[in-house]
Amino acid sequence: MEAQRWFPRFRTMTALAVVMMLLSPRYAGAALCVGDCNGDGEVTVDELVTGVDVALGTATMRQCRTVNDSGSDRVTVDELVRAVDAAISGCPATVDVFRAPAGTDVSGPLSAAQGVLPNGRKVDAAGTQVSVDTFPLNLALSHDESQLIVTNDGFGDDDFERKIQVIDTATESVTTRVPLQHYLGFAMSPDGQRVFVSNGKADQIDGLHFDNGQLVADAEPVATLPEGTYPTGLSVSPDGNYLYVVGLLSNSFTTIDLRTEGTCTPEPPGPSPACQFRANNIGNFPYTVIASADGQHAFVSSWGLNNNNPTGLIPAPLPPLDPNLPAMSSVAVVNLTDPTKPAYQKYVPIGRSQSIDNKTVFGGSHPSAMKLSPDGTLLYVTATNLDLLEVIDTTTLTVVAEVPLNQFESGHGSLALQGLYPEAVAVNPDGKRIYVADAGINAVQVIDADPQTKTFATAGFIPTGWYPSALALTADGKRLYVANAKGVGVGPNGAELVDISTTSMSGTPYYIGRIIKGSVSIIDDVDQYDVSAGTAAVRANNGFDPLPLRWVDTDPGPGDI
């Protein structure tokens, strides 16, 4: 109603603008601005009238897109005011535009560290690069830090096998590949002797162990879970006695007693070589889990879409009818006072400072990666869809800080940069520096932290390969390992013509998912890294630096329109 009262006044304002425009000096060389419907560098009376008509709904947005300065789905009073001001005062001499930095370069790898991506962005990863198999999602250092374990969670190798790889950190080369089907879930025992991975499709947890320094797979599964569990996130209790498992499809939390493998009957009844103690209705699409430092709780990141939607009205993965229910976009706290009796304690909502409305934020805040501070008092959680880092006090179980990760000025309103997509977190041993893998801009963000005052500030960025997906930091905080899920990209696949009506593309050697390999960046002296130079590189690689254009009445040259 307020808009209906205001918009007729703009017709009067438009008439006044005509008189003022005639009395006001105009200058040549103007460029596109708010309300300049035809892009000729000035706003006319007719264009102001069109803008008002668009606001009233009597004209379509396509008739004057520039009046919608915010990029939203409607024209506001403020936008009309700016259009009138542009008509009176004239458009600015230049306008900033953004473009893909690669220009006309062909996409594909240029070197082990450099590549041109299909979207026209570039990557130029810091450090030394080690090529690994497809889509690495986990990194973990052995206790002596001589080996780095990498999971490859993508399409698999040429034989359609996923493997666990081991990188020798001294020679910086892959030394071991252990064939073992798995996806996402990964945990290491506190003594560093055992590794656990989840096989969601088989509803199974598998184990590996070190034998004379070599990582080998266990002969039998650690546990077989009830059908339909689809285990993802894994975490081991601080004392190493229990393995905690979340079920993505079953909304469940399971404790596996590692001390009694193969000697007891699980609850609920079902085939398994290990004791199981299960709690249902934990989260909604629970993704990852991490045990608290004192072992009294477990934290579960709950995506919250429509998993086991009781109404059955909306199937996953469509957004829920009410995206702000407690289980949606939250961290579920599980009480582990008795680990064999896991019980729901509470939900900690994530990212509620922003509108979770299925419109501007589709799919919720998407809490994903989690990492404890060295003393265990703070839990860092990525609100991946919102480009936020949430900080939870593990004593009060409340959010005590929210860190905006978007530090780039690239527009306002819905035109502002979105999609940094934080995917992983690492924390320096002293707790005063946090590293966040921003997968959407191919960078690691460096955050200076004061855990006592709970204040956080971005120091800068480090360029990475395509889609950084996991981080690992040495005990002294000086060497950072970064998993790049898509390496430096892939060029043309060299495919012959394939009749997809009879042949699956994924079954051919030309499938992109098979040939695009991941990589691991090894960055030494990361605590001394020049983040100012790194930030400049990230800006350039992503095309965040605008190109000023100016309007000319003559034949346009470089930078002219």
Side-chain angles (χ1 to χ4, degrees):
M1 294 298 296
E2 181 181 355
Q4 294 297 322
R5 291 195 300 269
W6 269 97
F7 289 140
R9 300 180 191 177
F10 270 89
R11 294 189 181 275
T12 302
M13 293 175 63
T14 300
L16 292 174
V18 173
V19 176
M20 297 182 69
M21 288 166 61
L22 293 174
L23 297 176
S24 300
R26 304 304 305 273
Y27 58 87
L32 300 177
C33 59
V34 182
D36 180 14
C37 302
N38 63 7
D40 65 354
E42 57 185 27
V43 179
T44 65
V45 174
D46 288 342
E47 287 171 322
L48 287 175
V49 172
T50 301
V52 173
D53 289 339
V54 172
L56 292 171
T58 57
T60 63
M61 192 74 75
R62 70 174 56 186
Q63 290 178 261
C64 191
R65 292 191 182 278
T66 56
V67 76
N68 182 22
D69 188 39
S70 68
S72 65
D73 57 355
R74 62 189 180 90
V75 174
T76 66
V77 172
D78 287 343
E79 288 168 327
L80 290 175
V81 169
R82 290 198 294 274
V84 170
D85 182 65
I88 296 171
S89 304
C91 292
T94 62
V95 62
D96 288 341
V97 299
F98 296 87
R99 62 178 181 178
T104 58
D105 293 348
V106 177
S107 66
L110 301 176
S111 68
Q114 299 175 314
V116 176
L117 306 186
N119 58 13
R121 298 186 185 188
K122 295 181 177 181
V123 290
D124 188 358
T128 302
Q129 315 306 313
V130 179
S131 179
V132 296
D133 290 337
T134 58
F135 217 79
L137 289 182
N138 294 282
L139 296 176
L141 283 162
S142 61
H143 268 212
D144 63 2
E145 299 186 348
S146 65
Q147 299 182 85
L148 180 72
I149 302 171
V150 185
T151 66
N152 299 116
D153 303 77
F155 193 81
D157 60 15
D158 292 341
D159 298 320
F160 300 95
E161 281 191 327
R162 290 176 176 164
K163 292 182 171 68
I164 311 296
Q165 294 184 249
V166 177
I167 294 175
D168 184 306
T169 59
T171 64
E172 299 177 349
S173 60
V174 175
T175 59
T176 305
R177 282 182 167 86
V178 183
L180 195 63
Q181 291 300 317
H182 63 279
Y183 178 71
L184 183 66
F186 178 90
M188 180 180 285
S189 62
D191 62 7
Q193 294 304 303
R194 298 197 67 190
V195 172
F196 306 94
V197 295
S198 57
N199 184 340
K201 188 175 181 180
D203 292 313
Q204 182 173 293
I205 307 299
D206 289 305
L208 303 95
H209 62 276
F210 285 98
D211 185 0
N212 293 322
Q214 293 292 313
L215 188 67
V216 296
D218 294 350
E220 298 292 335
V222 172
T224 301
L225 303 167
E227 184 178 354
T229 299
Y230 204 94
T232 49
L234 304 177
S235 183
V236 181
S237 62
D239 60 12
N241 292 333
Y242 301 99
L243 176 66
Y244 303 123
V245 185
V246 294
L248 183 71
L249 299 185
S250 58
N251 293 344
S252 64
F253 179 96
T254 300
T255 297
I256 297 173
D257 191 334
L258 296 174
R259 299 169 300 177
T260 55
E261 284 187 64
T263 64
C264 72
T265 302
E267 282 290 336
S272 174
C275 286
Q276 298 178 28
F277 307 92
R278 182 168 171 141
N280 293 311
N281 301 315
I282 302 296
N284 194 284
F285 275 119
Y287 180 66
T288 54
V289 59
I290 187 170
S292 63
D294 61 7
Q296 297 299 299
H297 299 93
F299 303 101
V300 178
S301 58
S302 172
W303 282 349
L305 293 176
N306 280 295
N307 200 17
N308 293 340
N309 180 19
T311 66
L313 295 177
I314 304 179
L318 297 178
L321 289 173
D322 185 353
N324 293 293
L325 291 173
M328 306 295 182
S329 298
S330 65
V331 169
V333 182
V334 179
N335 189 309
L336 293 174
T337 303
D338 181 350
T340 66
K341 297 178 181 178
Y344 160 78
Q345 182 166 334
K346 69 174 294 186
Y347 286 111
V348 181
I350 298 297
R352 292 303 199 275
S353 67
Q354 297 195 26
S355 175
I356 310 292
D357 57 6
N358 291 339
K359 295 179 181 179
T360 56
V361 178
F362 183 91
S365 65
H366 210 61
S368 296
M370 299 187 293
K371 190 73 174 180
L372 286 167
S373 61
D375 61 3
T377 60
L378 299 176
L379 177 68
Y380 300 105
V381 184
T382 61
T384 303
N385 279 355
L386 302 182
D387 295 342
L388 296 175
L389 183 68
E390 302 274 312
V391 186
I392 296 175
D393 186 309
T394 58
T395 300
T396 64
L397 301 178
T398 58
V399 174
V400 294
E402 188 174 84
V403 186
L405 299 178
N406 180 8
Q407 300 296 313
F408 300 97
E409 296 179 1
S410 56
H412 58 272
S414 63
L415 293 180
L417 174 69
Q418 298 179 47
L420 270 68
Y421 215 73
E423 275 282 278
V425 182
V427 183
N428 208 54
D430 63 6
K432 295 182 178 180
R433 174 160 280 195
I434 302 168
Y435 299 94
V436 179
D438 290 334
I441 61 170
N442 311 313
V444 167
Q445 186 165 172
V446 182
I447 299 173
D448 289 332
D450 186 337
Q452 298 303 315
T453 61
K454 299 178 178 61
T455 54
F456 308 87
T458 295
F461 295 81
I462 302 172
T464 68
W466 190 4
Y467 203 93
S469 52
L471 302 173
L473 192 63
T474 54
D476 62 5
K478 292 186 175 298
R479 175 179 268 199
L480 179 68
Y481 297 92
V482 182
N484 304 300
K486 303 180 184 181
V488 291
V490 63
N493 58 6
E496 299 175 357
L497 290 177
V498 176
D499 184 351
I500 59 174
S501 66
T502 59
T503 303
S504 170
M505 191 68 184
S506 62
T508 73
Y510 315 117
Y511 182 54
I512 293 295
R514 295 181 65 181
I515 64 177
I516 186 168
K517 304 298 183 182
S519 66
V520 172
S521 300
I522 304 174
I523 305 171
D524 285 315
D525 298 320
V526 69
D527 55 329
Q528 303 297 318
Y529 187 86
D530 185 349
V531 292
S532 295
T535 301
V538 170
R539 293 185 66 93
N541 291 338
N542 286 278
F544 293 160
D545 293 319
L547 175 69
L549 295 181
R550 61 183 179 275
W551 179 269
V552 295
D553 294 326
T554 59
D555 292 336
D560 296 336
I561 54 173

